[in-house]
Amino acid sequence: MCTAAVCSLLINLSQPDTVDERAINRGAKLSIYQMHENLTLALNSAQAIGCNIVNIGPEDLHAGKEHLVLGLMWQIIRVRIRSFCFIAKVIKRVCYNSPVHWTLLAHNVPAVLNTGHPFSPICPL
């Protein structure tokens, strides 16, 4: 069983402030309608950050269909990894286009430029 709290937490870790936590129904005893409403909120948020949720409904997550739950979780994690890759590419472009880069190149200091980036194994730049 995939709870909406776990899905919402993972989505917010992937893309901050995606799920408004005030909209989540809380309580010790939630009705099936409130649970489905929470799961629908989590699915809509996952779709908003770029996950493909075709043929995945709140009843599938509530039933705990492993292949659908794991597929959704992997897509949310993939969104986070891709955001790291994007940040690494932007950093490399900014560093490459900076005057310091060309000054070092003019002074024949290529060793400083080939230090690598911590995300380079994940996404070769």
Side-chain angles (χ1 to χ4, degrees):
M1 178 178 185
C2 178
T3 64
V6 173
C7 289
S8 300
L9 176 66
L10 192 59
I11 291 168
N12 274 342
L13 287 174
S14 178
Q15 293 289 321
D17 299 327
T18 302
V19 179
D20 187 8
E21 294 186 16
R22 296 174 297 169
I24 298 174
N25 297 316
R26 299 187 189 276
K29 188 84 171 167
L30 294 177
S31 70
I32 189 72
Y33 302 107
Q34 290 174 321
M35 284 187 242
H36 278 240
E37 185 178 330
N38 288 345
L39 289 169
T40 302
L41 175 67
L43 284 172
N44 290 338
S45 300
Q47 188 175 21
I49 64 171
C51 296
N52 185 10
I53 59 163
V54 174
N55 290 333
I56 300 176
E59 57 279 347
D60 298 324
L61 297 180
H62 183 72
K65 294 185 179 179
E66 292 178 5
H67 63 288
L68 296 177
V69 172
L70 291 175
L72 178 64
M73 295 299 147
W74 168 243
Q75 288 185 61
I76 295 168
I77 292 167
R78 187 184 64 192
V79 167
R80 181 64 173 173
I81 291 172
R82 285 192 175 171
S83 69
F84 280 141
C85 290
F86 177 74
I87 291 169
K89 287 181 183 179
V90 168
I91 288 172
K92 186 164 183 176
R93 284 189 187 139
V94 167
C95 291
Y96 181 76
N97 291 329
S98 71
V100 176
H101 173 266
W102 297 108
T103 305
L104 292 173
L105 212 58
H107 292 296
N108 202 8
V109 188
V112 176
L113 302 174
N114 295 327
T115 57
H117 196 274
F119 300 116
S120 59
I122 295 174
C123 50
L125 302 174

